[in-house]
Amino acid sequence: MSGAESLIGAVVLVVSLGVAAQLVADWLQIPSVAFLLVAGVLVGPQALDIVDPAIFGQAGLQAIVGLSVGIIVFEGAFHLTVDRVREASREALGLVTIGAFVSLVGTAVAVKVVFGTTWPVAVLVGSLLIATGPTVITPIMQVVPVRDRVAAALETEGIINDVTAAILAVATFEFVIASQSSPVVVIEAFVARLAVGHVVGIAVGGGTALLLKRWHLSADNALQNARVVVLTAALLAYALGSMWLSEAGIAAAAVAGIVLGNAEIPHKEEVAGFKGGITLFVLSFVFIVLAAQLSLGNLRALGVGGLVVVIIVAALVRPLGVFLSTLGGRLTVRERMFVGGMGPRGIVPASVATLFAIELRPENPEAATVLVGTVFLVIFATVMFQGGLARHFAQALDILPMQTLIVGGGRVGRELAVRYESRGEEVVLIDSDEDTVERTRADGHRVVHGDATNATVLEEAGANRASVVVAATADDDVNLLVAQLATTRFDVDTVVARANQPDNVEAFEDLDVETISAGFAVADAIDDAVERPALAHWLSDSGRTGDVLEVELSNDSLVDRTIEETADKLPDGCLVAMVSRNGTDRVPDSDFRLANGDHLTLVCETNEAMQDARRLCQGG
């Protein structure tokens, strides 16, 4: 077989394995990176010896990996919009500053103490392992639907720390290979590459956005042209940055992606989908090729020390960095625990470590072994365990909420959002008015700008995983259509619609949705104020800290227990006010025994007690 035929065969095999890994990952709901790494090792020289990365040549492999990383980083940054960052801006800032610093120092100290390397080599390893990266975080977030603030924090950290790790590692490497130099060279090299990346990225991203806007006026194939131009922009930004200064291309690609992602360009959603497909392709190819290049001898040479470093990095350094960087933020303790357990490393440390090791090995083989062995061992361990167990970890922490969609960002919608969020529920509002959207977003709510009568907008807001949809606009026609879409297309369990005109109540009820007549609701509120003033005042007080909760009993440990026995297990300040069974409601006495599936109405003094009571009744 000729060299060309061997190269073609290797490429086709790698691509086929990548596609297979993606299909298996989708089927098992596990991030695909884990399967890509295993596939690469199996077909590499260390196992079946079917694919030898040397067939691409050192220069060719470096170019392929570099351009692929540029596309991957650009695509991740393209989705890093201002609105996305706002979801967890404080936490993200902490993760890319305090968190990155703790990761660098903690990892460097661990490598230095365990392996006895020089400080420059230890700092080099620590620099590379700052990166988590969109290549591993994004697939995890696709199969683990955590709250948006958690996903936004992790994704922002991944994109920014990818750039930070690559540039800092290159700057540190220059110090490592220089026989006589000052540590100041690291700072100078870091700042220089970051500056070059910003200049090139802003120029390419801004220029491409202007080009697309003007082209859109006259081009017949605007969508096709937009896709090609954006892909070319990603490659151009990386190439220009790298030609100016080595590894500045990663920063340039990231900045260009952020600029374009936040610009109003034609066919933006279609372009994003197209780039996602390209990224999936190159990610599969590069991960398999790099894994195939891994020498198991490097991992064995680390011995027990390698496992010790992995444990320190994943189980000590990462949680400590997350804890310190998210103090005082919006994340709950359980969400901080999840973020602390999610630090998988990706393509940037793998590719850069491989290239550095090739250059280091002739002069310092021991340092090269520690570098590539530690980096790949951490990648394997974090991807396989953290990536593979991410969904189970999130389920164990009970941080996978079903969403509540509220259509209408007016007074009613915003008040409902405040109430639901105080109960720990994930709420998304939808409104078509731009001023209302900005006002609602300023109040700290997550809001989608668009027409909710459009199924695409509902899907974008998360209707596919919504347990409740509330149509609360002042327009009955809008509420009726939203209710119809929620029940027929998205099969939402609970749909509640606001009927502003009494004559329209019958039309809503024909859809078999819970209908709240605005006139009747006012009458009920007045009646409550007269007949039940204390309860009415408490329920209407915006400053109250508790609420009334109805929850279905599914915790076997509470089944067949009396109300008196159950009260001992409920949080302080919670009591069972009513039990609904088979459509019959009753106020239970202390000897009443509960059954599986009973609906319990609980009155709780605090939001914390209410959330704990919900988890207890549901078996959390």
Side-chain angles (χ1 to χ4, degrees):
M1 185 181 293
S2 67
E5 292 172 338
S6 299
L7 183 60
I8 292 173
V11 171
V12 172
L13 177 60
V14 169
V15 171
S16 301
L17 284 172
V19 172
Q22 296 291 345
L23 293 175
V24 173
D26 288 342
W27 177 47
L28 296 177
Q29 290 289 285
I30 293 175
S32 61
V33 178
F35 296 101
L36 297 175
L37 285 174
V38 172
V41 173
L42 287 177
V43 301
Q46 300 293 313
L48 301 177
D49 196 19
I50 300 175
V51 175
D52 186 356
I55 196 172
F56 298 102
Q58 182 176 335
L61 182 61
Q62 186 172 356
I64 292 172
V65 170
L67 290 172
S68 299
V69 169
I71 292 174
I72 292 167
V73 171
F74 179 93
E75 198 269 338
F78 190 84
H79 294 282
L80 192 63
T81 61
V82 172
D83 291 342
R84 185 67 169 158
V85 175
R86 282 178 182 171
E87 293 288 342
S89 56
R90 181 170 181 173
E91 290 79 4
L93 179 62
L95 289 172
V96 302
T97 52
I98 299 172
F101 179 76
V102 171
S103 177
L104 170 63
V105 174
T107 304
V109 171
V111 171
K112 169 66 177 176
V113 172
V114 174
F115 298 125
T117 63
T118 63
W119 276 113
V121 172
V123 172
L124 178 60
V125 176
S127 301
L128 282 173
L129 292 179
I130 288 174
T132 51
T135 58
V136 284
I137 290 297
T138 301
I140 290 175
M141 294 300 97
Q142 288 173 347
V143 298
V144 186
V146 293
R147 295 184 189 278
D148 264 34
R149 63 195 183 200
V150 179
L154 284 168
E155 290 171 355
T156 305
E157 177 200 21
I159 294 164
I160 295 177
N161 278 357
D162 249 8
V163 177
T164 302
I167 297 177
L168 184 58
V170 171
T172 305
F173 186 68
E174 290 188 0
F175 176 73
V176 171
I177 62 176
S179 57
Q180 295 180 344
S181 62
S182 165
V184 177
V185 72
V186 176
I187 299 175
E188 292 176 345
F190 180 82
V191 173
R193 284 166 173 78
L194 201 59
V196 168
H198 276 78
V199 170
V200 173
I202 291 173
V204 172
T208 303
L210 291 174
L211 178 63
L212 288 172
K213 288 178 181 179
R214 294 190 63 179
W215 228 358
H216 183 56
L217 298 176
S218 57
D220 294 329
N221 299 316
L223 174 57
Q224 182 178 345
N225 290 333
R227 288 172 172 173
V228 174
V229 169
V230 171
L231 178 59
T232 303
L235 298 173
L236 182 62
Y238 178 83
L240 290 177
S242 298
M243 289 168 61
W244 194 337
L245 273 177
S246 63
E247 297 305 325
I250 292 181
V255 173
I258 292 173
V259 171
L260 269 173
N262 285 277
E264 292 297 328
I265 61 174
H267 308 292
K268 190 173 183 178
E269 291 184 4
E270 292 85 351
V271 168
F274 171 73
K275 279 200 53 52
I278 296 293
T279 299
L280 201 63
F281 179 85
V282 298
L283 171 64
S284 303
F285 184 85
V286 174
F287 249 119
I288 290 177
V289 170
L290 288 178
Q293 192 170 241
L294 177 64
S295 170
L296 297 181
N298 289 331
L299 300 183
R300 287 193 295 266
L302 299 181
V304 178
L307 297 178
V308 172
V309 170
V310 169
I311 293 172
I312 292 173
V313 170
L316 181 61
V317 175
R318 172 66 181 180
L320 176 62
V322 170
F323 173 78
L324 294 176
S325 60
T326 57
L327 282 173
R330 294 175 59 202
L331 301 186
T332 66
V333 173
R334 293 167 181 262
E335 289 169 344
R336 292 168 71 190
M337 290 173 63
F338 177 77
V339 175
M342 288 297 108
R345 273 59 176 188
I347 196 71
V348 167
S351 58
V352 177
T354 301
L355 299 176
F356 284 175
I358 294 173
E359 192 169 343
L360 266 179
R361 187 159 280 115
E363 300 293 332
N364 195 341
E366 184 179 347
T369 298
V370 170
L371 171 64
V372 74
T374 303
V375 169
F376 267 94
L377 193 58
V378 170
I379 291 173
F380 262 98
T382 55
V383 167
M384 297 299 291
F385 287 97
Q386 295 180 343
L389 299 176
R391 189 178 186 89
H392 302 288
F393 188 34
Q395 288 172 336
L397 291 172
D398 192 23
I399 60 168
L400 297 179
M402 293 295 284
Q403 284 195 155
T404 296
L405 298 189
I406 300 175
V407 179
R411 292 181 180 179
V412 174
R414 292 200 302 275
E415 176 61 25
L416 286 173
V418 170
R419 297 188 181 198
Y420 293 154
E421 287 173 352
S422 70
R423 299 168 188 160
E425 298 180 21
E426 176 79 351
V427 178
V428 180
L429 292 106
I430 309 174
D431 202 284
S432 58
D433 182 74
E434 191 170 343
D435 292 337
T436 302
V437 168
E438 289 302 318
R439 183 168 59 251
T440 305
R441 188 171 287 142
D443 289 341
H445 304 298
R446 183 192 168 199
V447 57
V448 172
H449 182 208
D451 181 3
T453 61
N454 186 329
T456 303
V457 174
L458 282 175
E459 187 171 4
E460 178 190 345
N464 287 323
R465 64 183 183 94
S467 60
V468 177
V469 169
V470 179
T473 74
D475 188 330
D476 282 356
D477 290 337
V478 171
N479 294 343
L480 190 64
L481 186 51
V482 168
Q484 186 175 21
L485 285 171
T487 54
T488 59
R489 177 157 182 170
F490 296 103
D491 195 25
V492 178
D493 291 337
T494 303
V495 180
V496 181
R498 170 185 174 186
N500 297 279
Q501 300 298 325
D503 293 343
N504 295 332
V505 170
E506 186 176 349
F508 283 99
E509 292 178 342
D510 287 342
L511 291 175
D512 196 25
V513 302
E514 189 70 30
T515 306
I516 305 298
S517 170
F520 294 157
V522 172
D524 286 341
I526 294 173
D527 185 41
D528 287 339
V530 173
E531 298 295 332
R532 294 164 286 275
L535 181 62
H537 175 73
W538 182 63
L539 289 175
S540 62
D541 183 6
S542 61
R544 75 182 188 279
T545 58
D547 210 336
V548 178
L549 166 72
E550 182 177 321
V551 60
E552 182 177 351
L553 181 64
S554 56
N555 186 348
D556 291 338
S557 68
L558 297 181
V559 171
D560 202 35
R561 288 185 179 272
T562 65
I563 292 295
E564 183 177 10
E565 292 171 333
T566 303
D568 292 337
K569 291 184 171 294
L570 287 172
D572 291 340
C574 278
L575 61 85
V576 181
M578 188 168 65
V579 177
S580 301
R581 179 184 297 172
N582 299 326
T584 301
D585 303 328
R586 65 175 295 173
V587 177
D589 56 29
S590 59
D591 296 326
F592 181 85
R593 291 190 176 276
L594 298 175
N596 189 48
D598 282 351
H599 283 249
L600 310 184
T601 299
L602 306 176
V603 179
C604 301
E605 286 184 343
T606 66
N607 292 329
E608 292 76 13
M610 181 175 58
Q611 293 173 24
D612 289 341
R614 183 199 297 273
R615 282 191 288 268
L616 173 66
C617 294
Q618 293 177 338

